[in-house]
Amino acid sequence: MRTVRRIALAVEAVVPSERTYLFSLGSQQGNAHLHWHVAPLPPGTPYEQQQYHALMTENGVIPWSAQQAVELADRLRTALSVVGDGG
């Protein structure tokens, strides 16, 4: 959880967001595993719609180029290097 928190704080540092949701959902892959979703909500998402907005895949697809994804990854790596462990 400490690592998940560090990542969420890094995401909040580089992605404008109203708030950030952390959640884990099951899958139909048939194997035991755990993964976390870090879902920053865009500014202005109405409060009463926020939980559903975070879960809806049509709101979570980012139409970015590979270069934009690389730039975001670089910004996240930089933010992770300065974010504490939250403890």
Side-chain angles (χ1 to χ4, degrees):
M1 286 307 304
R2 192 172 293 188
T3 300
V4 172
R5 177 170 167 72
R6 282 189 69 231
I7 293 168
L9 291 172
V11 168
E12 288 178 346
V14 301
V15 176
S17 59
E18 180 82 19
R19 86 180 40 210
T20 300
Y21 280 87
L22 302 175
F23 53 94
S24 179
L25 299 173
S27 71
Q28 295 180 341
Q29 292 178 324
N31 60 348
H33 72 284
L34 174 68
H35 62 266
W36 287 95
H37 298 261
V38 178
L41 298 179
T45 303
Y47 181 76
E48 62 277 355
Q49 296 174 8
Q50 288 183 2
Q51 281 188 327
Y52 298 112
H53 188 93
L55 293 171
M56 296 169 64
T57 57
E58 60 267 23
N59 295 325
V61 176
I62 302 173
W64 284 359
S65 67
Q67 182 59 38
Q68 288 172 305
V70 167
E71 290 168 4
L72 176 61
D74 288 341
R75 291 195 325 261
L76 286 169
R77 275 195 274 306
T78 299
L80 278 168
S81 70
V82 297
V83 170
D85 66 9

